[in-house]
Amino acid sequence: MKKIVIIGLILVTARFAQAQDKIEWLKFEEAVAAAEANPKMLLIDVYTDWCGWCKKMDKETFTDPAVVKYINGQFYAVKMNAEDDKRKFDFKGKEYTEAKMAAAMRVNSYPNFVIIDPTLRNITQLPGYRQPMEFLDGLGQIVDNGIGAK
């Protein structure tokens, strides 16, 4: 019995450590539901499959431990393909695809990071590729300027 408890604790600890190794990406509707239950800002990474700078963000910025920790602590993170017309979801009584939602948020360059406040009303954008410290500075300014204020 003691071995089972120890193994269980090791698995829980390993899972927690693993979760902090990478950003916990959600689907848009999952992030909205989470924000409604426990208010927190949404950070939406709007990308395309052909975008080289988007891939560079994934490889270099979104794997940086400080970026991972900050995003997981401050936001519900979402990946949204600006050209995906297949996957559908509802938001505020309307049906969207990822492409329709990206257009509704007026995203027209990639990568683009849309930040939505906890009330799901106010948004701002942080466009373009950014190295880890520059990305953290940009997010910090948005949070400090009140989009995250309740």
Side-chain angles (χ1 to χ4, degrees), residues 1-15:
M1 181 68 169
K2 188 174 181 181
K3 286 182 181 180
I4 293 173
V5 171
I6 291 172
I7 291 171
L9 288 173
I10 290 170
L11 291 174
V12 169
T13 303
R15 182 163 166 78

Side-chain angles (χ1 to χ4, degrees), residues 76-127:
Y76 294 114
V78 174
K79 283 244 181 225
M80 185 175 290
N81 185 338
E83 297 178 326
D84 183 347
D85 286 327
K86 294 178 182 141
R87 197 178 74 74
K88 296 179 180 178
F89 56 90
D90 291 328
F91 179 62
K92 294 189 175 187
K94 294 183 181 178
E95 184 178 83
Y96 291 91
T97 63
E98 291 188 5
K100 275 182 151 178
M101 180 57 76
M105 293 186 294
R106 299 183 180 169
V107 173
N108 54 22
S109 65
Y110 313 100
N112 202 323
F113 309 97
V114 176
I115 294 90
I116 302 177
D117 77 0
T119 67
L120 304 175
R121 290 189 185 101
N122 300 313
I123 69 169
T124 192
Q125 292 186 18
L126 189 63

Side-chain angles (χ1 to χ4, degrees), residues 14-75:
R15 182 163 166 78
F16 179 75
Q18 181 183 20
Q20 294 305 307
D21 288 345
K22 61 183 181 178
I23 295 171
E24 298 170 25
W25 297 107
L26 303 171
K27 292 180 179 172
F28 183 80
E29 61 275 22
E30 294 170 338
V32 167
E36 288 172 345
N38 181 27
K40 199 155 89 165
M41 291 175 284
L42 275 63
L43 170 68
I44 304 167
D45 172 15
V46 184
Y47 70 95
T48 64
D49 290 335
W50 50 263
C51 171
W53 291 109
C54 300
K55 292 174 182 166
K56 190 171 173 78
M57 283 290 297
D58 285 341
K59 186 177 180 182
E60 297 176 6
T61 303
F62 291 145
T63 58
D64 181 273
V67 172
V68 171
K69 183 177 180 182
Y70 189 76
I71 289 175
N72 284 343
Q74 295 289 323
F75 300 95

